[in-house]
Amino acid sequence: MIRRFSAATSLLLFAVLSMPLSALDRPGTTFKVFQFPADQIPRIDGNTEDWNIVPEHYVIGMDQLIDQSDPGHKPDPSDFDAKVKVGWVKGLNRLYFLYEAYAKYWKFGNPGLNQDIFELVVDGDLSGGPLIERFDEAPALSERDQHFSMHGVFAQNYHIMTPDLGKDWAMTWGCNSYVKQMPYANAAYKYDFNPGQSGKLTVEFWITPFDYAGCEGPQRAVETSLVENKLLGISWAILKHDGPGRRSAFWNLSRTREMYGRADHLVAFRLMPLEKPWRKFQADWSFKILDMDRRLVAFQDESTGEPTAWKWDFGDGSTSTERNPIHQYSRGADYDVVLEIVGPEGVSRREKIWDVDLR
């Protein structure tokens, strides 16, 4: 498929791709994103039971945030307390979030952004640089072209309503509002308080991070590919009102307020492998056709657990004991390929029928 970019978009894309990888905020700090097993994907219903399997060391609480309205302000759990868990599922380009917060005073139901908000920024490919036009220090485009070519395109900003009374669940900063809609996002709330009251709020949601999410719509959008050990740039801020006549707070995971508009001010998050309790000893594999004319295929072991020996049956009478073999077939056909692994935990076998199709 031939993709045609406007001159403005092409110029900006060249500039972004030419930039060196930007440093993230909080050097030396990397938060962890919990990998949910494929048979325990969290259900978006506002209930927290699905998240009980997430170990405590994945939880990010108020102790990691600073109030950038008043850096000396310490969190008081009797006024406000919040914690966040972040998860992912191998094979899905989704980031799952659980936001739980207690407040003595909740401000919501007002027009626009005049309410309590959980602001989330995600840079899926560590592109760095400005998210919004006001932080572009050397603009090559007009302000209008900047807005439609870069605002939320290479990293996304979500203003999530806490709670969402009479409003859409989030405002996405930019002209690509499709990123907050199905099939790219979903959210559910649970709370039992009214405006001005105290209580506990639960927001459960997932989003799709994008390397490119242009204003022209999802037909040209490029999802971030999520794989184990990948680093992402993520940060969030909690915009909190403490009640009539009292101060407001800007609790921030980043150490710079400008994280809302600069991807290089985000914090490192790593997509973690499965934790041991769910890391079953199980054979699995993938393949890539290197040369169809020569029928040359590379096989990749993707087993879980700790195998010490591998036996491949390529379906044509040939075998291999390499972990990641390359095999050349003599004729075009579709093949049944089997990988058997052996280790201290036992034996496991995975056969895939006709996946390797060389006809």
Side-chain angles (χ1 to χ4, degrees):
M1 178 174 64
I2 298 176
R3 296 183 173 181
R4 295 179 173 86
F5 292 86
S6 69
T9 300
S10 298
L11 179 60
L12 184 69
L13 184 59
F14 174 80
V16 170
L17 294 178
S18 300
M19 290 190 302
L21 182 64
S22 298
L24 292 169
D25 190 38
R26 300 183 65 171
T29 298
T30 301
F31 294 103
K32 297 191 293 185
V33 182
F34 177 77
Q35 183 179 155
F36 283 94
D39 59 354
Q40 297 186 62
I41 300 175
R43 182 175 179 177
I44 304 302
D45 55 8
N47 295 315
T48 63
E49 288 87 350
D50 296 340
W51 294 80
N52 290 340
I53 66 172
V54 180
E56 190 66 22
H57 59 268
Y58 282 85
V59 178
I60 302 173
M62 294 296 294
D63 60 311
Q64 292 293 337
L65 278 62
I66 61 170
D67 181 2
Q68 290 182 322
S69 299
D70 179 5
H73 180 211
K74 300 300 182 183
D76 180 355
S78 65
D79 279 333
F80 180 75
D81 195 23
K83 62 181 180 180
V84 181
K85 298 178 182 178
V86 189
W88 75 294
V89 179
K90 189 175 182 178
L92 296 178
N93 295 331
R94 298 177 178 179
L95 292 175
Y96 291 80
F97 292 83
L98 178 65
Y99 175 68
E100 298 177 277
Y102 165 81
K104 183 183 290 186
Y105 177 90
W106 285 101
K107 182 178 181 180
F108 62 106
N110 301 303
L113 298 177
N114 184 25
Q115 72 162 80
D116 293 331
I117 289 173
F118 178 70
E119 182 179 2
L120 172 69
V121 185
V122 178
D123 181 10
D125 61 354
L126 295 179
S127 60
L131 312 179
I132 59 179
E133 57 272 17
R134 77 176 65 164
F135 290 116
D136 189 355
E137 297 174 355
L141 309 172
S142 69
E143 183 176 348
R144 182 180 185 278
D145 283 340
Q146 279 183 293
H147 178 78
F148 288 105
S149 297
M150 66 179 290
H151 203 122
V153 173
F154 301 103
Q156 293 77 51
N157 180 307
Y158 302 78
H159 281 58
I160 298 162
M161 308 301 148
T162 55
D164 61 341
L165 179 65
K167 297 179 181 178
D168 203 356
W169 75 281
M171 180 274 284
T172 47
W173 209 356
C175 55
N176 49 6
S177 60
Y178 58 87
V179 304
K180 65 176 177 180
Q181 301 165 0
M182 288 288 283
Y184 305 111
N186 193 21
Y189 289 76
K190 185 176 182 180
Y191 65 96
D192 60 1
F193 49 80
N194 293 316
Q197 294 182 339
S198 63
K200 181 181 178 181
L201 169 76
T202 299
V203 187
E204 187 180 17
F205 63 95
W206 59 263
I207 61 167
T208 304
F210 290 89
D211 294 347
Y212 177 84
C215 299
E216 65 273 19
Q219 64 273 12
R220 281 176 49 200
V222 179
E223 296 182 11
T224 300
S225 179
L226 302 185
V227 295
E228 286 184 359
N229 292 308
K230 182 182 180 74
L231 280 177
L232 311 175
I234 301 176
S235 191
W236 54 76
I238 301 171
L239 287 64
K240 191 72 195 72
H241 299 268
D242 286 345
R246 301 184 63 187
R247 62 185 305 282
S248 297
F250 189 92
W251 295 104
N252 198 343
L253 184 64
S254 172
R255 293 300 177 256
T256 58
R257 190 182 184 97
E258 289 74 19
M259 48 70 67
Y260 66 86
R262 293 188 59 91
D264 49 344
H265 289 185
L266 302 178
V267 184
F269 277 72
R270 187 179 298 280
L271 301 175
M272 300 302 293
L274 281 172
E275 294 278 337
K276 284 187 177 180
W278 299 281
R279 197 180 303 150
K280 300 176 183 178
F281 186 74
Q282 184 171 305
D284 199 6
W285 54 273
S286 63
F287 72 97
K288 182 178 182 180
I289 299 175
L290 301 178
D291 188 329
M292 178 61 88
D293 292 336
R294 297 170 57 205
R295 296 176 292 278
L296 191 65
V297 182
F299 292 90
Q300 179 76 32
D301 171 44
E302 294 187 354
S303 304
T304 54
E306 298 180 357
T308 56
W310 298 262
K311 181 178 180 181
W312 294 84
D313 181 341
F314 298 118
D316 63 350
S318 301
T319 62
S320 173
T321 57
E322 296 181 33
R323 182 173 185 177
N324 300 306
I326 295 176
H327 180 63
Q328 185 169 16
Y329 288 88
S330 60
R331 65 184 183 87
D334 39 29
Y335 294 94
D336 296 354
V337 178
V338 181
L339 170 62
E340 183 177 279
I341 60 172
V342 180
E345 301 165 90
V347 179
S348 180
R349 179 180 184 273
R350 176 61 59 91
E351 176 181 4
K352 296 185 181 182
I353 302 169
W354 296 0
D355 282 26
V356 181
D357 187 349
L358 301 175
R359 290 177 295 175

